[in-house]
Amino acid sequence: MSLRSTDRQWGSVAKFFHWIMALAILVNGVWGLLMTDMTPSMSKISVYAWHKSIGLTVLALFALRLLWRAFDRRPRDEPGPRWQQLAAHAVHGVLYLMIVALPLTGWWFNSLRGFPLQYFKLFNLPAIAAKNEELAKVAHEAHELLFWALLLVLVAHVGAAIKHHVFDNDNVLRRMLPFGRPRD
């Protein structure tokens, strides 16, 4: 499999970014849901620190993914109705916006609460806002709402991929699977 994408399928670098980010988002989402119910302890602080670091990793991976996309080609769209192609592009655009907005609202919330932000205990990141408890409530709500909205869009994304694979029997899913090969 080629590192670079072809007009028929995504290359291994694009697939790596897709699947590692999907895994990180899934793990961090579950982690985020579970951590809020923990009793206050040092373990809870550690779990929150991991959640924040994974979120920042997703943000960094997204930046690298965009950089790669700028120099990598994109497989041509599968044949099909124009509305499906437009819907696919719209869903990807919304996913991209949410993938950026979710960690940024988390960082914003963390800054507004006045908490330090360390990346895997390696270095500190600066606050992006001054401490403000009232605004922190807004940031927290935005972070949570974006998470639930992201889940809805992901359900549409995965549902469409399954629909293409099972009902349309085309290459949309095959060309993004880690070891998938498009059929002729």
Side-chain angles (χ1 to χ4, degrees), residues 57-136:
T57 300
V58 168
L59 192 59
L61 285 169
F62 181 76
L64 292 172
R65 183 179 185 171
L66 279 184
L67 185 63
W68 178 255
R69 278 285 300 267
F71 298 101
D72 193 29
R73 69 188 307 168
R74 175 179 175 16
R76 68 180 179 274
D77 288 335
E78 285 286 315
R82 181 77 177 134
W83 71 267
Q84 283 185 3
Q85 293 172 2
L86 292 172
H89 290 292
V91 167
H92 283 103
V94 170
L95 279 173
Y96 279 15
L97 285 172
M98 289 180 169
I99 288 169
V100 170
L102 201 53
L104 286 178
T105 56
W107 190 348
W108 183 43
F109 170 64
N110 190 79
S111 298
L112 291 167
R113 290 293 310 272
F115 296 139
L117 184 57
Q118 285 188 338
Y119 184 72
F120 291 113
K121 297 184 181 180
L122 297 173
F123 55 87
N124 290 337
L125 282 101
I128 57 174
K131 187 174 180 176
N132 181 328
E133 287 298 327
E134 281 302 309
L135 201 50

Side-chain angles (χ1 to χ4, degrees), residues 13-77:
V13 174
K15 289 180 183 185
F16 169 79
F17 281 127
H18 179 273
W19 291 107
I20 198 71
M21 288 179 65
L23 179 64
I25 290 166
L26 178 66
V27 166
N28 218 29
V30 171
W31 201 293
L33 290 172
L34 297 175
M35 71 186 191
T36 57
D37 293 332
M38 294 177 68
T39 56
S41 65
M42 290 306 290
S43 294
K44 184 173 184 174
I45 293 170
S46 180
V47 168
Y48 268 79
W50 272 91
H51 176 75
K52 295 170 189 180
S53 292
I54 293 169
L56 291 168
T57 300
V58 168
L59 192 59
L61 285 169
F62 181 76
L64 292 172
R65 183 179 185 171
L66 279 184
L67 185 63
W68 178 255
R69 278 285 300 267
F71 298 101
D72 193 29
R73 69 188 307 168
R74 175 179 175 16
R76 68 180 179 274
D77 288 335

